[in-house]
Amino acid sequence: MIAPIHLKKKENKDYRMIVISDIHGHLDRFKALLHEVQYTPNDYLVIVGDFVEKGDQVIDTIHFIQELDKNEKTFVLTGNCEWALCALLLEPELAHQIPLYLKRVSSNGCIRDVYHRLHLDNGKETLLGIQKKIAEYLKSELKYISHLPVTLKFNDFLFVHAGVEKRKDYENCSLSSLLEMQHFYEHGHILDEMVIVGHLPTSNYFKKYINNDILIDKQKKIICIDGGTGVKSISQLNAFIITSYQGHISFDTKYVQPLPEAMTIKNIMNHQEDIHKIAYPYFEVTVLEKGNQFSLCSQKETHQTLKIKNEFLYQKNNQVYCLDDYTDYMLSVKKNQKIKVIGVYDQYVYAIYQNHVGWIKLENICMNF
């Protein structure tokens, strides 16, 4: 299994570094982002884990990253998804969890891909046999990802997938903390370095808005870069860019978000004083009043009352839930402005305008401009 390898690199010359995390098998989006940042082999490239599973190009993503990793300026770290993939396929005692994994995890990923490629869904193979055949098929890929480092200390930056415990000797943190820590941003750390992490989508940290932008907190010395690709229905793949020139460090950010565009055909003015957001982990709601387009709902833990589009509500075990991250924000947009379309829901469009997510009436936009 994964050995807790900790890398250290000191660079005294000028440099440019591209940092990306949580690609989750979205190779096309990853390539588009490298093009957006104008990446060259002269740049440092750090991939902060979770480049496998959840997407439908996982195996190709691994192969592409392996090629990038031949460059001495590329550093590929492991995340909890790489760890889980290796454990599930290489530890015989975990073979019984494969059916649960296929049921619980999203419809994509390399385990599911190979499971169907090898026709292991015919019911003729034992669970241990399924595990062995998938592991054999992915033998070279598993060999690569099972030996990836866990942290990279580069000058005054520490890169790790999830976070570090509050201790100076971060190399002795538990592997679980380094790869799976859930509340690193809230709890902070005591290191001198700026710690750069992925793991949890940055939108989780914005109270009122759905926002997948990189979060830079200089006071806490934490930078969170996961844009939710493969996890959130509204997501982006982020790149954090560090440039060192004559001893001066500067930051920049880029992202890709492949969504169709539309054009507003009239001025849309909404006066909304209070904006609400449903987000992980508080998706359970109570419907107070059923409406034709939106239903008035309450969310107990966050003490919110808001209108939720009916298509976003579903019932499970006699409880009502909101489908995903959600905002009741009604966008204000001037005429002839481009918006990105997340989805069309009856008479309304869920859209992004100037990085704000919200709702616009379908009658106010042109989808084919």
Side-chain angles (χ1 to χ4, degrees), residues 196-341:
I196 300 177
V197 298
H199 188 50
L200 294 179
T202 58
S203 188
N204 290 357
Y205 303 119
F206 292 92
K207 297 296 184 183
K208 288 192 173 184
Y209 298 98
I210 295 176
N211 188 333
N212 296 294
D213 291 345
I214 288 174
L215 180 63
I216 303 173
D217 193 320
K218 293 184 178 180
Q219 183 174 359
K220 288 186 175 183
K221 291 187 290 189
I222 294 175
I223 300 173
C224 305
I225 68 172
D226 179 7
T229 291
V231 178
K232 303 282 190 180
S233 59
I234 304 171
S235 68
Q236 62 196 43
L237 187 61
N238 291 324
F240 182 62
I241 304 165
I242 304 169
T243 302
S244 177
Y245 180 69
Q246 295 183 351
H248 175 70
I249 301 293
S250 62
F251 299 152
D252 193 11
T253 64
K254 297 285 186 181
Y255 69 87
V256 293
Q257 188 180 55
L259 290 171
E261 292 185 334
M263 180 78 75
T264 56
I265 58 176
K266 62 176 69 173
N267 292 329
I268 307 163
M269 298 302 296
N270 290 298
H271 302 284
Q272 188 173 353
E273 294 183 359
D274 202 6
I275 301 167
H276 307 93
K277 176 187 174 185
I278 297 289
Y280 175 85
Y282 305 119
F283 292 119
E284 185 179 342
V285 297
T286 300
V287 177
L288 303 176
E289 183 181 337
K290 184 74 172 178
N292 182 40
Q293 294 289 325
F294 296 84
S295 292
L296 186 64
C297 302
S298 65
Q299 207 299 312
K300 182 175 65 175
E301 287 84 0
T302 56
H303 309 289
Q304 294 184 103
T305 300
L306 71 162
K307 290 184 177 181
I308 299 179
K309 195 73 175 71
N310 291 335
E311 292 88 339
F312 280 70
L313 296 172
Y314 72 97
Q315 191 166 336
K316 182 179 179 181
N317 299 327
N318 296 319
Q319 301 292 336
V320 179
Y321 297 89
C322 186
L323 187 62
D324 199 355
D325 284 8
Y326 176 88
T327 178
D328 64 355
Y329 185 43
M330 292 293 173
L331 291 170
S332 293
V333 186
K334 292 183 178 181
K335 183 180 178 180
N336 296 329
Q337 297 296 304
K338 288 182 180 180
I339 62 170
K340 289 187 175 182
V341 177

